[in-house]
Amino acid sequence: TAPEQEILHAEEREQYLFVISAKTEKALSEQVANYINYLKSTSDKFSDIVYTSSVGRSHFKYRVALIVSSKDEAIEQLKNYTFGISGVNPRKIHDEQNLENLQKLYLEGHTLDWSSIYKSGKKVSLPTLSRLQTLLENRLKLLQRLFRSKVGGFPLFYKLV
């Protein structure tokens, strides 16, 4: 592991690896927009936001990883983000402390040991996609598949007439 003096607590860092992920590209775009609005309006400490987004969240295939030092810098980078699409990489990273390396590993799909990267922090309430919106989108996709399979690709009312 890295020497103790190199491992910094979240509140002691000058720069942070700020991550956001989602299951789809569309969901990631929505999350990014939600985070921009949240970062503009929240009074939460940036170190706690970073801590919660890494330690307190699941990490999915579509990912954004920014090296930033403040909310304002995060907002600016999120406005022009590019994302990575990762496969699931079972290798868990424990002792890497270089933010550029961590960013690359995260975007490649590695599982980072966030609790060893950020030793402390306070979890805060972060923006999420609307559970109702996600549920409705999933139901709509299911209905579309059912209609296509039952009526040969035609709208249901054609079959009923």
PDB file of all heavy atoms in Angstrom, residues 117-135:
ATOM      1  N   ILE A 117      -9.425   4.996  -0.996  1.00  0.00           N
ATOM      2  CA  ILE A 117      -9.054   6.234  -1.676  1.00  0.00           C
ATOM      3  C   ILE A 117      -9.522   7.433  -0.855  1.00  0.00           C
ATOM      4  O   ILE A 117      -8.783   8.389  -0.645  1.00  0.00           O
ATOM      5  CB  ILE A 117      -9.648   6.264  -3.096  1.00  0.00           C
ATOM      6  CG1 ILE A 117      -9.045   5.121  -3.931  1.00  0.00           C
ATOM      7  CG2 ILE A 117      -9.403   7.613  -3.756  1.00  0.00           C
ATOM      8  CD1 ILE A 117      -9.789   4.824  -5.209  1.00  0.00           C
ATOM      9  N   TYR A 118     -10.776   7.379  -0.413  1.00  0.00           N
ATOM     10  CA  TYR A 118     -11.340   8.427   0.439  1.00  0.00           C
ATOM     11  C   TYR A 118     -11.628   7.808   1.800  1.00  0.00           C
ATOM     12  O   TYR A 118     -12.615   7.117   1.975  1.00  0.00           O
ATOM     13  CB  TYR A 118     -12.619   9.002  -0.181  1.00  0.00           C
ATOM     14  CG  TYR A 118     -12.383   9.692  -1.499  1.00  0.00           C
ATOM     15  CD1 TYR A 118     -12.995   9.263  -2.662  1.00  0.00           C
ATOM     16  CD2 TYR A 118     -11.540  10.791  -1.577  1.00  0.00           C
ATOM     17  CE1 TYR A 118     -12.775   9.896  -3.871  1.00  0.00           C
ATOM     18  CE2 TYR A 118     -11.300  11.426  -2.790  1.00  0.00           C
ATOM     19  CZ  TYR A 118     -11.928  10.982  -3.921  1.00  0.00           C
ATOM     20  OH  TYR A 118     -11.704  11.612  -5.111  1.00  0.00           O
ATOM     21  N   LYS A 119     -10.730   8.037   2.746  1.00  0.00           N
ATOM     22  CA  LYS A 119     -10.816   7.400   4.061  1.00  0.00           C
ATOM     23  C   LYS A 119     -11.962   7.922   4.911  1.00  0.00           C
ATOM     24  O   LYS A 119     -12.440   7.237   5.790  1.00  0.00           O
ATOM     25  CB  LYS A 119      -9.506   7.596   4.828  1.00  0.00           C
ATOM     26  CG  LYS A 119      -8.313   6.966   4.167  1.00  0.00           C
ATOM     27  CD  LYS A 119      -8.174   5.555   4.603  1.00  0.00           C
ATOM     28  CE  LYS A 119      -6.881   4.991   4.040  1.00  0.00           C
ATOM     29  NZ  LYS A 119      -6.926   3.566   3.941  1.00  0.00           N
ATOM     30  N   SER A 120     -12.381   9.155   4.681  1.00  0.00           N
ATOM     31  CA  SER A 120     -13.450   9.708   5.510  1.00  0.00           C
ATOM     32  C   SER A 120     -14.264  10.686   4.690  1.00  0.00           C
ATOM     33  O   SER A 120     -13.841  11.164   3.649  1.00  0.00           O
ATOM     34  CB  SER A 120     -12.865  10.414   6.727  1.00  0.00           C
ATOM     35  OG  SER A 120     -12.118  11.549   6.326  1.00  0.00           O
ATOM     36  N   GLY A 121     -15.414  10.964   5.191  1.00  0.00           N
ATOM     37  CA  GLY A 121     -16.310  11.909   4.551  1.00  0.00           C
ATOM     38  C   GLY A 121     -17.694  11.734   5.116  1.00  0.00           C
ATOM     39  O   GLY A 121     -17.986  10.777   5.831  1.00  0.00           O
ATOM     40  N   LYS A 122     -18.543  12.644   4.808  1.00  0.00           N
ATOM     41  CA  LYS A 122     -19.932  12.608   5.258  1.00  0.00           C
ATOM     42  C   LYS A 122     -20.795  12.329   4.041  1.00  0.00           C
ATOM     43  O   LYS A 122     -20.666  12.994   3.013  1.00  0.00           O
ATOM     44  CB  LYS A 122     -20.299  13.955   5.877  1.00  0.00           C
ATOM     45  CG  LYS A 122     -21.738  14.099   6.253  1.00  0.00           C
ATOM     46  CD  LYS A 122     -22.003  15.515   6.766  1.00  0.00           C
ATOM     47  CE  LYS A 122     -23.459  15.848   6.571  1.00  0.00           C
ATOM     48  NZ  LYS A 122     -23.740  17.254   6.665  1.00  0.00           N
ATOM     49  N   LYS A 123     -21.674  11.334   4.137  1.00  0.00           N
ATOM     50  CA  LYS A 123     -22.575  11.048   3.028  1.00  0.00           C
ATOM     51  C   LYS A 123     -23.662  12.110   2.989  1.00  0.00           C
ATOM     52  O   LYS A 123     -24.212  12.501   4.004  1.00  0.00           O
ATOM     53  CB  LYS A 123     -23.192   9.658   3.163  1.00  0.00           C
ATOM     54  CG  LYS A 123     -22.182   8.560   2.869  1.00  0.00           C
ATOM     55  CD  LYS A 123     -22.839   7.216   2.779  1.00  0.00           C
ATOM     56  CE  LYS A 123     -21.790   6.166   2.459  1.00  0.00           C
ATOM     57  NZ  LYS A 123     -22.371   4.826   2.416  1.00  0.00           N
ATOM     58  N   VAL A 124     -23.930  12.590   1.769  1.00  0.00           N
ATOM     59  CA  VAL A 124     -24.958  13.606   1.544  1.00  0.00           C
ATOM     60  C   VAL A 124     -25.970  13.064   0.544  1.00  0.00           C
ATOM     61  O   VAL A 124     -25.713  12.080  -0.150  1.00  0.00           O
ATOM     62  CB  VAL A 124     -24.337  14.933   1.040  1.00  0.00           C
ATOM     63  CG1 VAL A 124     -23.441  15.549   2.100  1.00  0.00           C
ATOM     64  CG2 VAL A 124     -23.565  14.736  -0.252  1.00  0.00           C
ATOM     65  N   SER A 125     -27.107  13.693   0.452  1.00  0.00           N
ATOM     66  CA  SER A 125     -28.154  13.284  -0.479  1.00  0.00           C
ATOM     67  C   SER A 125     -27.838  13.829  -1.865  1.00  0.00           C
ATOM     68  O   SER A 125     -27.780  15.038  -2.061  1.00  0.00           O
ATOM     69  CB  SER A 125     -29.502  13.814   0.008  1.00  0.00           C
ATOM     70  OG  SER A 125     -30.521  13.409  -0.871  1.00  0.00           O
ATOM     71  N   LEU A 126     -27.618  12.927  -2.817  1.00  0.00           N
ATOM     72  CA  LEU A 126     -27.252  13.308  -4.184  1.00  0.00           C
ATOM     73  C   LEU A 126     -28.445  13.160  -5.116  1.00  0.00           C
ATOM     74  O   LEU A 126     -29.392  12.426  -4.822  1.00  0.00           O
ATOM     75  CB  LEU A 126     -26.106  12.425  -4.682  1.00  0.00           C
ATOM     76  CG  LEU A 126     -24.798  12.512  -3.910  1.00  0.00           C
ATOM     77  CD1 LEU A 126     -23.792  11.525  -4.492  1.00  0.00           C
ATOM     78  CD2 LEU A 126     -24.243  13.915  -3.943  1.00  0.00           C
ATOM     79  N   PRO A 127     -28.407  13.820  -6.272  1.00  0.00           N
ATOM     80  CA  PRO A 127     -29.521  13.686  -7.214  1.00  0.00           C
ATOM     81  C   PRO A 127     -29.586  12.281  -7.793  1.00  0.00           C
ATOM     82  O   PRO A 127     -28.567  11.615  -7.962  1.00  0.00           O
ATOM     83  CB  PRO A 127     -29.194  14.718  -8.295  1.00  0.00           C
ATOM     84  CG  PRO A 127     -27.745  14.945  -8.197  1.00  0.00           C
ATOM     85  CD  PRO A 127     -27.370  14.702  -6.765  1.00  0.00           C
ATOM     86  N   THR A 128     -30.801  11.844  -8.055  1.00  0.00           N
ATOM     87  CA  THR A 128     -31.010  10.539  -8.679  1.00  0.00           C
ATOM     88  C   THR A 128     -31.995  10.713  -9.823  1.00  0.00           C
ATOM     89  O   THR A 128     -32.715  11.699  -9.894  1.00  0.00           O
ATOM     90  CB  THR A 128     -31.607   9.520  -7.691  1.00  0.00           C
ATOM     91  OG1 THR A 128     -32.868  10.001  -7.236  1.00  0.00           O
ATOM     92  CG2 THR A 128     -30.685   9.284  -6.510  1.00  0.00           C
ATOM     93  N   LEU A 129     -32.018   9.740 -10.696  1.00  0.00           N
ATOM     94  CA  LEU A 129     -33.060   9.728 -11.710  1.00  0.00           C
ATOM     95  C   LEU A 129     -34.361   9.415 -11.008  1.00  0.00           C
ATOM     96  O   LEU A 129     -34.397   8.658 -10.047  1.00  0.00           O
ATOM     97  CB  LEU A 129     -32.775   8.660 -12.767  1.00  0.00           C
ATOM     98  CG  LEU A 129     -31.613   8.931 -13.696  1.00  0.00           C
ATOM     99  CD1 LEU A 129     -31.411   7.743 -14.623  1.00  0.00           C
ATOM    100  CD2 LEU A 129     -31.857  10.183 -14.505  1.00  0.00           C
ATOM    101  N   SER A 130     -35.421   9.969 -11.485  1.00  0.00           N
ATOM    102  CA  SER A 130     -36.731   9.714 -10.914  1.00  0.00           C
ATOM    103  C   SER A 130     -37.031   8.223 -10.999  1.00  0.00           C
ATOM    104  O   SER A 130     -36.972   7.621 -12.070  1.00  0.00           O
ATOM    105  CB  SER A 130     -37.783  10.504 -11.684  1.00  0.00           C
ATOM    106  OG  SER A 130     -39.051   9.964 -11.481  1.00  0.00           O
ATOM    107  N   ARG A 131     -37.322   7.624  -9.872  1.00  0.00           N
ATOM    108  CA  ARG A 131     -37.658   6.190  -9.876  1.00  0.00           C
ATOM    109  C   ARG A 131     -38.903   5.942 -10.718  1.00  0.00           C
ATOM    110  O   ARG A 131     -38.991   4.946 -11.418  1.00  0.00           O
ATOM    111  CB  ARG A 131     -37.856   5.688  -8.450  1.00  0.00           C
ATOM    112  CG  ARG A 131     -36.583   5.649  -7.654  1.00  0.00           C
ATOM    113  CD  ARG A 131     -36.837   5.145  -6.242  1.00  0.00           C
ATOM    114  NE  ARG A 131     -35.724   5.480  -5.379  1.00  0.00           N
ATOM    115  CZ  ARG A 131     -34.735   4.654  -5.102  1.00  0.00           C
ATOM    116  NH1 ARG A 131     -34.724   3.460  -5.626  1.00  0.00           N
ATOM    117  NH2 ARG A 131     -33.757   5.034  -4.310  1.00  0.00           N
ATOM    118  N   LEU A 132     -39.879   6.852 -10.648  1.00  0.00           N
ATOM    119  CA  LEU A 132     -41.079   6.713 -11.457  1.00  0.00           C
ATOM    120  C   LEU A 132     -40.740   6.790 -12.938  1.00  0.00           C
ATOM    121  O   LEU A 132     -41.224   5.995 -13.740  1.00  0.00           O
ATOM    122  CB  LEU A 132     -42.102   7.791 -11.086  1.00  0.00           C
ATOM    123  CG  LEU A 132     -43.397   7.782 -11.895  1.00  0.00           C
ATOM    124  CD1 LEU A 132     -44.126   6.454 -11.742  1.00  0.00           C
ATOM    125  CD2 LEU A 132     -44.287   8.934 -11.464  1.00  0.00           C
ATOM    126  N   GLN A 133     -39.861   7.724 -13.311  1.00  0.00           N
ATOM    127  CA  GLN A 133     -39.459   7.862 -14.710  1.00  0.00           C
ATOM    128  C   GLN A 133     -38.792   6.582 -15.190  1.00  0.00           C
ATOM    129  O   GLN A 133     -39.096   6.078 -16.267  1.00  0.00           O
ATOM    130  CB  GLN A 133     -38.501   9.039 -14.860  1.00  0.00           C
ATOM    131  CG  GLN A 133     -37.951   9.208 -16.250  1.00  0.00           C
ATOM    132  CD  GLN A 133     -36.893  10.303 -16.331  1.00  0.00           C
ATOM    133  OE1 GLN A 133     -36.598  10.975 -15.364  1.00  0.00           O
ATOM    134  NE2 GLN A 133     -36.325  10.466 -17.499  1.00  0.00           N
ATOM    135  N   THR A 134     -37.888   6.034 -14.406  1.00  0.00           N
ATOM    136  CA  THR A 134     -37.197   4.800 -14.770  1.00  0.00           C
ATOM    137  C   THR A 134     -38.179   3.647 -14.889  1.00  0.00           C
ATOM    138  O   THR A 134     -38.136   2.867 -15.841  1.00  0.00           O
ATOM    139  CB  THR A 134     -36.106   4.478 -13.734  1.00  0.00           C
ATOM    140  OG1 THR A 134     -35.222   5.589 -13.653  1.00  0.00           O
ATOM    141  CG2 THR A 134     -35.334   3.226 -14.113  1.00  0.00           C
ATOM    142  N   LEU A 135     -39.102   3.544 -13.935  1.00  0.00           N
ATOM    143  CA  LEU A 135     -40.108   2.484 -13.967  1.00  0.00           C
ATOM    144  C   LEU A 135     -40.976   2.605 -15.213  1.00  0.00           C
ATOM    145  O   LEU A 135     -41.220   1.618 -15.916  1.00  0.00           O
ATOM    146  CB  LEU A 135     -40.975   2.543 -12.704  1.00  0.00           C
ATOM    147  CG  LEU A 135     -42.120   1.540 -12.627  1.00  0.00           C
ATOM    148  CD1 LEU A 135     -41.575   0.117 -12.564  1.00  0.00           C
ATOM    149  CD2 LEU A 135     -42.999   1.830 -11.423  1.00  0.00           C
TER     150      LEU A 135
END
